[in-house]
Amino acid sequence: MLLLVVYPMKKRIHALAFLGSNKLWFRLHIAFGIVGPVFILFHTNFVLGSLNSQVALFSMIVVALSGVVGRYIYVRFHYGLTARIVNLTELCDDL
């Protein structure tokens, strides 16, 4: 779960450029964002015990869903991992 933080830090702190490309860390960020919550669910045996665990689980679900929605929106407006915004003619060509 801590490796999820490397991608946003790498984007903002230029001294971390030696860690590799942003494209690689973005893909790892997506993979860890999916696998991490699944591992947590297996670790808890899908049982909600205390109020603390319930709040943590639902917070994690909200964060994971926001990542899915964010990725959906990102794919609709950008091509690949470049920050180039797609124009209307390119979208029409894709259809």
Side-chain angles (χ1 to χ4, degrees), residues 33-90:
I34 294 169
V35 172
V38 171
F39 282 167
I40 290 172
L41 286 174
F42 281 115
H43 175 72
T44 61
N45 292 325
F46 300 93
V47 176
L48 293 176
S50 67
L51 177 64
N52 186 26
S53 66
Q54 292 174 6
V55 170
L57 175 68
F58 291 120
S59 299
M60 180 188 64
I61 289 171
V62 167
V63 169
L65 287 176
S66 73
V68 170
V69 170
R71 181 67 181 156
Y72 175 79
I73 292 170
Y74 182 87
V75 168
R76 293 290 176 236
F77 290 105
H78 295 87
Y79 271 166
L81 296 175
T82 63
R84 189 171 65 84
I85 295 176
V86 181
N87 60 31
L88 183 60
T89 57
E90 290 173 320

Side-chain angles (χ1 to χ4, degrees), residues 13 20 23 48:
I13 301 172
K23 185 177 181 178
L48 293 176

